């Protein structure tokens, strides 16, 4: 008997089979370098389930076939949607505050008056880039620019909009909140927007750390935080080599406190936990 089409079964629960999970894991590893461990199966299933319903697919296999089909008319768009759904984008303002203290106390005095090009290399929704922007606007005397990049197109859209729920303002120091964040009114009540004065220094573009675009340019300061935790050793090594190529001599690389570059940071000098200098 033929299976009923999914649209006739609105509450159908589609099971993610082990072999389907393996196919999705392989695909996301090739696309983004992200290693999904076996305990992520339920997470993957729940993140993609809504998409299956929207596409009226009755099995994950149908979805995988579409995703991996080289000529399917929707596969390019769907691959981006799948990446958007499968990446973890948690972030917040002034995350790992010791890095911001180090920038203010050590890096900015050394680079006084010089032009600073900074990169938030897995920017997610932009909180990291705008936290840095607040610091530079307040403490750096020279010109500056921040580029935020991410593989997830949806978070980049949010980053460009620069509108955040008021609850997200908790970590922003009061003085900077008043100076650089505009309280929403009318339909925007309960939100704030990053002031134009900061936004004009900050741009966002899509980039896969596994394969960076040629025209990214060179940077003086790079945040590469809380993204390598999703990579295996080979992806991490590739990403560090790629990122190093974009760094000027005398530039700084900041990684997440829970991350390590043991054995792969050959041209980098560890100067504080999670802070590296490019010779
Ligand atoms: C947990 S967020 C970290 C955000 C911010 N750096 C922080 O520390 O708060 C990780 C981000 O890395 C992005 N990401 C994952 N794999 C990537 C890749 N191959 N290239 C670029 N970005 C990637 C995800 O889309 C996600 O937005």
């Amino acid at each position: 008997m033929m299976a009923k089409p999914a649209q006739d079964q609105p509450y159908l629960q589609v099971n993610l089979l082990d072999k389907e999970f393996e196919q999705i894991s392989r695909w996301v590893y090739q696309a983004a370098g992200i290693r999904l461990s076996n305990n992520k199966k339920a997470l993957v299933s729940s993140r993609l389930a809504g998409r299956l319903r929207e596409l009226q697919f009755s099995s994950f296999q149908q979805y995988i076939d579409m995703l991996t089909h080289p000529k399917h008319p929707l596969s390019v768009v769907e691959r981006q949607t799948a990446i958007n759904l499968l990446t973890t984008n948690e972030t917040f303002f002034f995350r790992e505050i010791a890095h911001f203290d180090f920038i203010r106390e050590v890096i900015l005095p050394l680079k006084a008056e010089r032009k600073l090009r900074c990169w938030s290399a897995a920017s997610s929704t932009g909180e990291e880039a705008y936290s840095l922007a607040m610091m530079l606007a307040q403490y750096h005397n020279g010109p500056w620019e921040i580029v935020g990049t991410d593989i997830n197109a949806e978070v980049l859209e949010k980053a460009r909009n620069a509108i955040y729920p008021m609850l997200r303002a908790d970590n922003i120091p009061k003085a900077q909140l008043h100076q650089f964040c505009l309280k929403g009114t009318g339909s925007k009540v309960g939100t704030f927007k990053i002031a134009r004065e900061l936004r004009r220094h900050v741009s966002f573009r899509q980039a896969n750390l596994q394969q960076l675009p040629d025209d990214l340019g060179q940077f003086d300061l790079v945040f590469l935080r809380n993204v390598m935790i999703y990579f295996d050793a080979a992806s991490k090594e590739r990403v560090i080599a790629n990122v190093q190529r974009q760094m000027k001599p005398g530039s700084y690389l900041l990684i997440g406190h829970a991350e390590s570059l043991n054995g792969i940071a050959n041209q980098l000098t560890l100067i504080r936990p999670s802070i590296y200098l490019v010779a």
Side-chain angles (χ1 to χ4, degrees), residues 155-249:
V155 293
L156 290 170
E157 217 29 61
K158 290 187 183 158
R160 288 186 196 105
N161 282 339
I163 296 174
Y164 300 94
M166 208 40 112
L167 285 172
R168 302 230 112 208
D170 280 359
N171 285 348
I172 304 177
K174 287 283 165 289
Q176 289 162 351
L177 187 63
H178 288 131
Q179 197 176 350
F180 301 121
C181 304
L182 312 170
K183 213 167 166 179
T185 56
S187 65
K188 297 282 190 303
V189 151
T191 69
F192 66 92
K193 184 166 176 98
I194 303 296
R196 165 114 186 88
E197 174 190 354
L198 295 189
R199 280 186 288 122
R200 69 190 179 85
H201 294 271
V202 186
S203 61
F204 292 94
R205 64 182 285 190
Q206 194 173 27
N208 184 349
L209 288 164
Q210 302 289 333
Q211 205 175 11
L212 289 170
D214 293 334
D215 58 348
L216 210 49
Q218 298 278 295
F219 296 95
D220 303 279
L221 173 61
V222 177
F223 279 106
L224 180 67
R225 306 191 309 167
N226 304 303
V227 61
M228 288 184 292
I229 38 170
Y230 304 104
F231 298 157
D232 70 352
S235 304
K236 204 157 107 172
E237 201 163 341
R238 197 162 38 243
V239 165
I240 287 297
N242 291 347
V243 167
Q244 267 182 209
R245 274 195 288 278
Q246 308 301 139
M247 298 188 68
K248 297 181 192 171

Side-chain angles (χ1 to χ4, degrees), residues 31-34 87-92 95 120-125 128 149-152 155 207-210 224-227 229-231:
I34 295 170
T87 48
T88 298
N89 314 112
E90 198 213 325
T91 185
F92 47 91
R95 185 177 196 175
S120 170
S123 65
S124 187
T125 37
E128 183 175 86
T149 63
D150 203 284
I151 197 170
N152 179 324
V155 293
N208 184 349
L209 288 164
Q210 302 289 333
L224 180 67
R225 306 191 309 167
N226 304 303
V227 61
I229 38 170
Y230 304 104
F231 298 157

Side-chain angles (χ1 to χ4, degrees), residues 71-77:
K71 295 216 175 95
H72 192 293
L74 295 178
S75 60
V76 174
V77 176

